[in-house]
Amino acid sequence: MTRDMPDASRRLEHMDELVSLCARRGFIFASSEIYGGINGFWDYGPLGVELKNNLKSLWWQRVVREREDVEGLDSSIISHPRTWEASGHVEHFSDPMVDCRTCKRRFRADQTDEACPEAPSQRRVSECDLTEPRNFNLMLQTRLGASEDAASLAYLRAETCQPIFTDFKRVRESARQKLPFGIAQIGKAFRNEINPRNFTFRSREFEQAELEFFCHGSEREKWFQHWLEERLAFHRGLGFDADHLRTRPHDSDELAHYARQAVDVEFLFPFGWQEIEGIHDRGDWDLSRHSEYAGKDLGVTDLETKERFVPMVIETSVGIDRTCLALLCHAYRVETLAEGDERTVLRLHPAVAPIKAAVLPLSKKLADPARAIQSELRRHFNVFYDEAGNIGRRYRRQDEAGTPFCVTYDFDSQEDGKVTVRERDSMAQDRVAVDGLAAYLRERLERTD
Ligand code: ATP
């Protein structure tokens, strides 16, 4: 093995560096870019959609497939509007906002210590000519059918969990589940955020992966701890360093009135510690409210004790976009190599890396055998092929995309049936027989150390 270790390495300092890499390499860029973008909406390009899908499948595998006590669901984005009255969103899902009388912009009342984007100097929003705070509902509305009257009003869901509650009885009975058990879904949620910012961190359209776990009141503490540990183990498994991940229990004045406890999982972004997931004890609030509003009893009977009760709910709610952003921020490195050469590398965990291996023939004359290797590897992983430019430049392109392995086919390969496999982070190179290449890569991709 040969290696070429970097002399110095630095992490992401400014979000702009990542925003530009993501656009240039097709991870994430502004939606409707040719019209100047639309604030709070983002598109995931060829690399971004692979990253996101990998994260979603890891979550689904761990939370749904590996468990007998969790069922999956894919509900519609628009629900009966009564759903959002019962959940309290129509009345309460709002942020207190202030308007600036001079620049006519609107700000969140809890974010007025920031610099005003309209003021010439570093004046703070709180020093502007502001109105009193007013509540602004964050749900996005739409109209159904041809009429424009109140009866046609509907909402895009503000969180993915409410349909889990309204479908609770149907899922439990059809899957023949007994308590304790959970229902999970991944999907889009929409919030009319006033100040979308920090790249995808606060968007107006985003994806959540949520689990609602139903249990008897006597077991809610046990299941809260279980899911908190389970979710932390998941995040650690994604490769986040211990000093970039922490939990933050909510103070009692932060809790929703129905919640008994809540803990945020936070990641250290370049703009500070921020929530990526919430674990909440929601009590029996949601099922009780939907029972009341729909006039349908959503309680269950314990077959042994014959006790009739409304289940308690432990929720885990993770933002897929925020976790992707955390993964990208965490992975980003600029390294100085020998002779002042520099490379940007995304040290993504192989399980989430969009491309697992790139096949690079040393010369275009070697395209045929290199293509044959790519076709074989493609049956197992997402594999990229690149024959353009010098080999150093091709390595750099893959480093920036976070590709864990590059496979180089050279003139010796024709003689000895071997290729050079270069590992992204250490840049160590290994000669590997083409026959065992898929097994070799699988073993190294699955290695967790
Ligand atoms: P915040 O306080 O940051 O607005 P929240 O406490 O309202 O978040 P929840 O309602 O608990 O968030 O949603 C669960 C998860 O959904 C969050 O941890 C986050 O990862 C994600 N999420 C919430 N709002 C947004 C958003 N506007 N853009 C991207 N992801 C979001």
Side-chain angles (χ1 to χ4, degrees), residues 122-135:
Q122 276 295 301
R123 192 174 72 192
R124 310 216 155 271
V125 171
S126 54
E127 291 155 358
C128 297
D129 182 13
L130 300 176
T131 60
E132 286 301 304
R134 270 184 310 209
N135 278 336

Side-chain angles (χ1 to χ4, degrees), residues 158-332:
E159 54 188 24
T160 53
C161 62
Q162 289 306 324
I164 293 182
F165 301 125
T166 56
D167 289 350
F168 166 71
K169 195 166 182 286
R170 169 70 70 195
V171 175
R172 185 176 68 82
E173 288 174 1
S174 60
R176 299 171 60 236
Q177 279 284 2
K178 288 195 200 63
L179 257 55
F181 86 101
I183 305 177
Q185 91 162 326
I186 301 179
K188 294 268 190 179
F190 302 82
R191 296 183 187 177
N192 195 7
E193 301 278 2
I194 298 308
N195 290 331
R197 59 196 182 145
N198 289 328
F199 199 12
T200 57
F201 180 81
R202 188 171 299 289
S203 311
R204 289 176 167 151
E205 174 178 340
F206 54 95
E207 268 184 286
Q208 292 183 315
E210 293 195 299
L211 164 76
E212 307 303 316
F213 197 81
F214 303 92
C215 63
H216 186 270
S218 60
E219 294 198 313
R220 61 202 283 201
E221 184 57 30
K222 176 182 119 186
W223 285 109
F224 187 91
Q225 290 310 325
H226 169 88
W227 282 109
L228 178 57
E229 279 158 33
E230 176 58 24
R231 295 305 304 144
L232 274 173
F234 178 85
H235 288 291
R236 290 193 195 107
L238 294 177
F240 290 125
D241 296 335
D243 62 354
H244 276 65
L245 212 54
R246 72 176 188 193
T247 51
R248 191 186 67 83
H250 282 204
D251 293 333
S252 52
D253 60 351
E254 278 180 272
L255 289 175
H257 61 91
Y258 52 80
R260 188 201 261 180
Q261 61 174 327
V263 173
D264 285 347
V265 178
E266 295 189 334
F267 172 77
L268 183 56
F269 287 94
F271 45 91
W273 285 101
Q274 296 287 345
E275 166 185 346
I276 54 174
E277 170 150 11
I279 290 91
H280 310 123
D281 177 338
R282 299 176 72 112
D284 63 0
W285 160 259
D286 304 275
L287 289 182
S288 297
R289 290 279 288 195
H290 288 300
S291 293
E292 181 191 334
Y293 276 66
K296 302 262 166 29
D297 181 3
L298 298 178
V300 297
T301 306
D302 185 310
L303 292 179
E304 278 170 27
T305 63
K306 306 285 178 256
E307 182 195 358
R308 182 96 190 141
F309 62 96
V310 179
M312 297 289 160
V313 171
I314 305 302
E315 169 183 82
T316 73
S317 174
V318 63
I320 295 295
D321 309 79
R322 274 196 197 171
T323 308
C324 282
L325 185 62
L327 285 166
L328 289 165
C329 290
H330 188 263
Y332 187 96

Side-chain angles (χ1 to χ4, degrees), residues 314-431:
I314 305 302
E315 169 183 82
T316 73
S317 174
V318 63
I320 295 295
D321 309 79
R322 274 196 197 171
T323 308
C324 282
L325 185 62
L327 285 166
L328 289 165
C329 290
H330 188 263
Y332 187 96
R333 294 285 188 295
V334 176
E335 295 179 351
T336 309
L337 307 174
E339 290 153 29
D341 205 8
E342 214 178 61
R343 72 164 182 163
T344 304
V345 54
L346 290 185
R347 291 173 167 253
L348 288 170
H349 189 292
V352 292
I355 301 168
K356 307 301 180 197
V359 177
L360 318 171
L362 201 58
S363 146
K364 283 187 183 159
K365 291 187 193 125
L366 300 170
D368 288 348
R371 280 276 188 203
I373 291 175
Q374 182 211 16
S375 305
E376 165 57 23
L377 292 181
R378 246 187 192 166
R379 296 169 48 233
H380 308 272
F381 329 101
N382 192 26
V383 175
F384 187 76
Y385 176 86
D386 186 7
E387 57 181 31
N390 75 43
I391 192 74
R393 207 166 305 141
R394 279 184 273 165
Y395 282 156
R396 297 289 174 273
R397 280 205 287 266
Q398 293 310 312
D399 289 343
E400 252 190 359
T403 307
F405 295 102
C406 285
V407 173
T408 306
Y409 192 94
D410 57 28
F411 290 99
D412 289 343
S413 304
Q414 288 180 306
E415 308 303 320
D416 65 3
K418 290 183 173 176
V419 284
T420 300
V421 178
R422 169 192 181 267
E423 197 268 333
R424 177 194 67 202
D425 299 347
S426 64
M427 294 180 278
Q429 301 194 355
D430 214 355
R431 266 321 255 184

Side-chain angles (χ1 to χ4, degrees), residues 29-49:
F29 37 85
S31 174
S32 323
E33 209 173 7
I34 60 166
Y35 290 103
I38 167 166
N39 199 4
F41 296 88
W42 299 94
D43 290 349
Y44 287 70
L47 294 179
V49 67

